[in-house]
Amino acid sequence: MCPRMRRQRLKGRRQRSFLWFLLFLPLLPIFPFSFSFPLFLPAAAQTMQDRKVEGDRLLQVGMQQYQIRQFEAALSSWQQALQIYRDIKDRYGEGNALSNLGLAYYFLDDYDKMVAYHQQALVISRETKDRHSEGTLLNYLGSAYQSLGDYSKAIEYYEQSLAIAQEIKDRQGEGDALSNLGLVYKNLANYGKAIEYYKQSLAIAQEIKNRKRQGDNLGKLGSVYGALGDAARAIKYHEQSLAIARAIKDRQGEGIALSNLGNVYYELSNYRIAIEYHQQSLAITREIKDRWGEKVALANLGSIHDALGRYSKAIEYYQQSLIIAREIKDRQSEGNILNNLGLALFNSGNLALAEKVLFDSILVLEAIRQRVGSNDTNKVSIFELQAVAYRTLQQVLIAQKKTNAALEIAEEGRARAFVELLTQRLADRNQLSAANLPTTAPLALQQIQQIAKVENATLVQYSILFNEFKIQGKQEWRESEIYIWVIPPTGEITFRKADLKSLWQQQNSSLVDVVVQSRMAMGARGRADVEVTLSPEFLKQQQEQQTRNLKQLHGLLIQPIADLLPRDPNQHVIFIPQYELFLVPFPALLDVNNKSLIEQHTILTAPSIQVLELTRQQRQAIQTSTANIQNALVVGNPVMPKVVTQVGKTPVQLSDLPGAKREALAIAGLLKTKAITGAEATESAIAQQMPQARIIHLATHGLLDDTKGLGVPGAIALAPVGNNQLNDGLLTSDEILDMKLNAELVVLSACDTGRGEITGDGVIGLSRSLITAGVPSIVVSLWKVPDDSTAFLMTEFYKNLSTTNDKAQALRQAMLAAKQKYSDPLHWAAFTLIGEAE
């Protein structure tokens, strides 16, 4: 059984509107605290008491500065207070200063510092056995990780905070933790769970008669229903939130509710009403001197005028919003507003200024990304924001006929976190000093050309672009074009593009719809899934649909560049996909003569050109440092574990794979080793042997989910050891990420091992983890592969590999042999080679 990947579809309006939301981060001294007053004391004690009074005063001054969003000033006051509290060994005062410093850094988007300060305060709360403060700080830490996009860690902290609040009967704290959990699940698009948590938090707010929290939760429920496309319910909840804010004279809450109503009407294309609501929100923010809220209202108004084609007005609003973002040092908003401003300038025809502004947006967001430390998950999350600016900048450059510059930006705008992670791992493997670390700087044009030459391959880089155009009479923001660059070994660079608007206008379909339909038409099943008898008529319909889809994808992706690809089928073509293109079965694409791409070309893929260069360096490092490692590790059909893919679900027993065992035994004979099967193939035993293997072949089940909640999806099923732990027997992507492997080739002869979570940084899953662990060449599958045909294809692959060092050619010949025996692409087109061919 191979669970389906949670598919991220890039759809909806352009990513430029600011939607307000509130994490529950109350500012207050969270430790038991009272402000001090001078007493008649001995001189030494009086000096200490004076110091405490000064610390308390600075703490209170910082709170006043914080409440009017003067975060830099608040930091200065609290840093001084912290030093005083430490000097006089006042642990409660120290804890409060640390906690408040963390909150200030939260609003300055410096989440690493927020975490550092709150972790220190958490230590104090536990030392003093202050459970209330401990729960509050855990809530704060959850908010930090949520902002970084590390949702599994955010959920962990929020659940700990919730448990403490329930234990000490802190109903307010319980409601806040529940609401923040709701926000995490909303960000994960688990809207049912989000609604459940928000409603629980709302019930608590009603019980304790906290009207402000009632309004906040109603607004959050409105935002969920808005995300679900249920505008009527969204409006109802936002109007209830607005009514409460007005009843309790909460002007800030009123402004937020008005803004959220404006955003709903914006999504409904009712721009007149949307403008009215945002104008009212803007007036309130100015009245109460809420500069952050004023920035949001101005940006939202800019988005509406942009959608209306009133570009000069949109530019004016964006520029006003940008001034405030810079004034209050809100760097993330600054980056987003610059992107929106760049888009408006592009639409207005001011290409030169649009180019400059978009470069500025990328630089601002890059500065934020570099501040989040070495955590890969956090860097990927921030990079998702940059990806929007990179896409728009490519359009601006192409409009100016700067096609080569656009290629540099297209390459820079993918896999940045992956490049940094790989570079660091290479440095660690080679024990390089800081002075000799490989550069992570984006590639220049000459470097891209040199990589094509060194790889002796034709590189094909795809980039998916978005624009606004009419679909069934309505303006929509959708995928509009694919940009394609072709770089042969000789270095000439050619730019082509393919139109996607016709998909929407003629079929009301997206590119991802076509990709998914092509896979569904194949009837892709998992290893050992039960065969279902289908009528001849149905099979004929499926075959016809499959052929149409594969020809359509060929027309979009290959036909525009067919004349640029090598004529010699033995020459390598390396595809650099983006987003849903990672799921395309390139070998099976059909031209107008029904000839498959694998018959014409030897195919590889890579997450980016720069990652390709790094896998080449990995191969060289392995050849240099591990020449004595020659053994192979072959695993097939282990005793299958029971797995839980979602918390609270019943464990599912994975099915036996007799074909995988036959495959492993045959391949082990070719590689002159012993296959490890059945109960011997435990997770612990295999993980221990993997670093000592030159070739690793795993024939078993693959899973797509983040089965252990570690933040990296994907796992390989191995035999459980019986420790009663959750998902005992699964070797996860996260665990592989931390390995140091010396294999030059890993073959995952399992279902869906090439898939995972698709992001602007590439596919997050097993393939990324294996490359990071040091493997330069990986063979993975793009769908659930049938048992018998996979065993045949893999045996052919290793037979071919015994006569050539060219892994790509060995895989191509194996596919062609399997195609002769099993005509349906389901059986032979699933596997792809990522990384190095030799």
Side-chain angles (χ1 to χ4, degrees), residues 740-753:
K740 182 180 178 182
L741 300 180
N742 298 297
E744 65 178 36
L745 171 66
V746 171
V747 177
L748 299 180
S749 183
C751 58
D752 291 319
T753 49

Side-chain angles (χ1 to χ4, degrees), residues 149 302 331 494 511 526 528 797:
R331 295 284 278 168
T494 306
L511 179 62
F797 171 66

Side-chain angles (χ1 to χ4, degrees), residues 455-458 569-575 587 597-606 612 619 744-747 776-780 793 796-798 800-817 828 831-838:
E455 291 288 338
N456 192 26
T458 297
N570 296 314
Q571 291 293 307
H572 296 165
V573 178
I574 304 177
F575 292 109
L597 198 61
I598 198 64
E599 295 177 76
Q600 304 170 68
H601 302 292
T602 301
I603 297 169
L604 302 87
T605 61
L612 186 64
R619 185 193 67 198
E744 65 178 36
L745 171 66
V746 171
V747 177
S777 305
I778 302 165
V779 175
V780 293
L793 186 149
E796 289 294 310
F797 171 66
Y798 284 103
N800 298 333
L801 203 57
S802 67
T803 63
T804 178
N805 289 326
D806 189 335
K807 302 176 184 71
Q809 190 56 233
L811 183 59
R812 175 175 181 262
Q813 293 302 327
M815 284 185 172
L816 291 174
W828 55 264
F831 289 97
T832 185
L833 174 62
I834 301 174
E836 294 300 297
E838 296 182 356

